[in-house]
Amino acid sequence: MKTKATLSVALPRIPKDIPIFEGRDIDGSTEIVQVHCIDIDLAGRAVSGLTFDRTIVQRILMNRTRIANARLFDVQCEGSDLSGSSWQRSRWQRVHFKGCKLTGAQFTTLTGTDVSFQECSMEGVIFSGGKLKGVHFERCRMARAVFDRVDLGSATFHRCDLSGMDLTGSKLEGVDLRASDIPDIRLEVVQYKGLTIDPVQAAELVAQLGCVVKSAEEE
């Protein structure tokens, strides 16, 4: 059965024809406002207090970067590498990631509103604490991802690979998993209430509980 992706989050509000960011470096106190950033290298650095506002970011390198108290407002991030990065106490609003690599990234106490990830590599990503109000994942590879004590109310995962994902301890009221692959997904029984799944997923989850699923005609 096919399900239609419904993007319920607001997209970034970025003016047209914004100028290219001319700077070659970004320090921790920099406010990047209403520009188009291309090919910025922050790999392996420690950055605190960084702000992106009404900005397009392309091909930025933030792999293994340690980031604290960052603020991202109305940001479109494309083709960037955030793998292995560590984010502490960040705030995001209307942020859209497309075709980005976030493998093994860690987000601690992230507060996000209207955040979306499209066609991103997110294997082994860890979200710990915090609240994501309105978050949409579409066609993302999220095997072995962990959501630890995260408020994920009304999140949608559409056509994602959620193999081995650990959701135990998180709030899942209104979360929609339909059309995603969920083998070996980890859930507590109390988390099933309010979770939206499709019939194939229902059979998988029942089997994970130890039940034997077969028709009345089977021996």
Side-chain angles (χ1 to χ4, degrees):
M1 182 180 67
K2 293 184 178 180
T3 60
K4 183 178 179 181
T6 302
L7 186 60
S8 58
V9 302
L11 293 174
R13 301 168 184 171
I14 302 172
K16 294 182 179 179
D17 303 319
I18 57 177
I20 299 295
F21 178 67
E22 299 293 345
R24 293 181 177 272
D25 196 14
I26 295 175
D27 61 37
S29 60
T30 301
E31 292 189 7
I32 310 299
V33 180
Q34 206 165 306
V35 290
H36 188 160
C37 297
I38 305 175
D39 297 324
I40 302 295
D41 188 352
L42 296 173
R45 292 174 52 181
V47 181
S48 180
L50 181 64
T51 297
F52 285 105
D53 186 358
R54 290 161 291 165
T55 297
I56 297 174
V57 178
Q58 286 184 299
R59 301 192 302 271
I60 190 169
L61 295 178
M62 301 182 81
N63 46 308
R64 305 182 314 281
T65 305
R66 290 165 292 163
I67 306 151
N69 302 309
R71 287 176 168 79
L72 278 62
F73 303 135
D74 293 300
V75 175
Q76 181 174 324
C77 184
E78 301 176 358
S80 296
D81 188 354
L82 290 77
S83 57
S85 58
S86 176
W87 297 69
Q88 302 280 335
R89 302 177 303 279
S90 296
R91 183 182 172 194
W92 298 357
Q93 184 173 15
R94 291 184 299 276
V95 178
H96 178 65
F97 291 91
K98 183 175 182 180
C100 293
K101 185 176 181 181
L102 298 96
T103 306
Q106 299 184 40
F107 301 92
T108 303
T109 320
L110 169 63
T111 301
T113 304
D114 291 316
V115 178
S116 57
F117 299 87
Q118 184 178 16
E119 298 173 357
C120 293
S121 299
M122 303 179 70
E123 295 91 342
V125 68
I126 298 174
F127 291 86
S128 179
K131 182 175 183 179
L132 292 172
K133 183 180 179 181
V135 59
H136 179 79
F137 300 89
E138 184 170 352
R139 298 185 183 277
C140 292
R141 298 186 297 278
M142 304 183 70
R144 302 174 307 283
V146 175
F147 288 86
D148 176 31
R149 295 169 289 109
V150 180
D151 187 345
L152 276 171
S154 302
T156 55
F157 296 82
H158 185 75
R159 297 198 179 281
C160 296
D161 177 7
L162 310 182
S163 306
M165 174 184 281
D166 189 348
L167 292 163
T168 56
S170 290
K171 295 182 180 180
L172 305 181
E173 186 78 24
V175 169
D176 191 338
L177 300 177
R178 287 177 298 170
S180 288
D181 297 325
I182 61 167
D184 302 317
I185 193 169
R186 295 184 61 189
L187 291 165
E188 298 169 320
V189 174
V190 295
Q191 293 177 296
Y192 286 30
K193 184 177 181 180
L195 194 64
T196 301
I197 56 177
D198 60 43
V200 173
Q201 293 171 334
E204 287 191 58
L205 292 178
V206 169
Q208 286 184 32
L209 289 172
C211 298
V212 178
V213 181
K214 58 183 179 181
S215 67
E217 290 76 22
E218 294 181 84
E219 291 290 338

